[in-house]
Amino acid sequence: ACGRASGSYQATPGKGEFTDTKYAKLGDLGSQVLPKYDTGTVWRTGSVVETRSSFRANHGGGYQFRLCPLTSDLTEACFQQTPMPFAGNSKLMISDGSMIELDSVDVSNGTLPVGGTWRMLGVPDVAGAATSGWAFKPPCHEPGYPNHPPKSYTIQANCTGDWTHNITMYDYLRVPAHLAPGEYVLGFRYDCETSAQVWQSCADVKIFGAAL
């Protein structure tokens, strides 16, 4: 539920590799081998918090943020018990450093966990694994849109691309009001659409009761 070093128990084609360190070796599960890391992040129940993420390899699809108590086994079942609802649209820092607000698309019907909200990745794939042009209309001005896409998936435009490197997604989440104060692990899960891949990562957070 927190990712795997290289993505598999062995190295795979397409850069499915990992350089062993003192913290982990190829095939290790992040939920089992990585120690607690005090990020200094403190949230309050019922509040709206900001997260940031970068999608280095854009394969469409959607993502969700979830919580699991640090004292629990960090399994998919645990994270599915506490999905974090989105609070408003995502914002995107594009290649020139400016911020734009996206018209975010959320799905909560037919999802797992039941009723949990997933958000469509608002960055169009371009000339990637399953597209010859833009997967959908770009959220910012792209000089070549719609008839002159980049000739290679390695070329990132202003706010689109398959292989992105300098755009950042800002999401705003509501911390569930019913949570007991304590230490939690924030889980991020991204399910791809144009490939059979699931990308996951985790971060340690502390949650206090609502401010009086």
Side-chain angles (χ1 to χ4, degrees):
C2 291
R4 189 172 200 168
S6 90
S8 178
Y9 66 93
Q10 61 183 5
T12 58
K15 300 299 181 181
E17 306 163 354
F18 185 80
T19 300
D20 292 354
T21 70
K22 65 180 181 180
Y23 301 107
K25 63 183 184 300
L26 189 148
D28 279 350
L29 298 176
S31 58
Q32 295 179 0
V33 303
L34 296 180
K36 172 188 169 184
Y37 180 76
D38 189 355
T39 62
T41 300
V42 177
W43 292 345
R44 291 194 177 275
T45 55
S47 66
V48 173
V49 297
E50 179 185 88
T51 64
R52 303 179 190 179
S53 51
S54 294
F55 295 82
R56 185 67 175 88
N58 179 3
H59 298 317
Y63 57 94
Q64 185 184 66
F65 293 88
R66 308 91 67 79
L67 289 167
C68 177
L70 179 63
T71 55
S72 300
D73 289 335
L74 301 179
T75 62
E76 177 66 16
C78 180
F79 281 106
Q80 284 194 13
Q81 292 179 19
T82 314
M84 295 190 71
F86 291 96
N89 289 326
S90 301
K91 293 181 180 179
L92 188 67
M93 179 182 288
I94 64 176
S95 61
D96 65 3
S98 62
M99 297 283 290
I100 62 173
E101 182 172 342
L102 303 180
D103 186 11
S104 297
V105 176
D106 295 340
V107 178
S108 56
N109 292 326
T111 57
L112 287 176
V114 175
T117 300
W118 289 73
R119 175 156 289 182
M120 174 181 164
L121 177 57
V123 178
D125 182 4
V126 188
T131 55
S132 57
W134 279 270
F136 53 91
K137 184 178 179 180
C140 73
H141 174 66
E142 293 289 20
Y145 181 81
N147 298 318
H148 301 286
K151 298 184 182 299
S152 170
Y153 74 92
T154 61
I155 300 174
Q156 180 200 297
N158 294 330
C159 62
T160 63
D162 181 85
W163 197 245
T164 59
H165 53 84
N166 65 345
I167 56 180
T168 303
M169 187 73 69
Y170 289 67
D171 283 300
Y172 303 89
L173 311 172
R174 177 77 64 181
V175 182
H178 70 275
L179 293 180
E183 296 181 307
Y184 288 81
V185 176
L186 173 68
F188 172 81
R189 174 169 170 155
Y190 166 42
D191 285 32
C192 300
E193 180 180 6
T194 61
S195 67
Q197 293 176 315
V198 175
W199 298 80
Q200 298 184 95
S201 63
C202 291
D204 292 296
V205 299
K206 293 180 181 178
I207 297 179
F208 293 163
L212 299 177

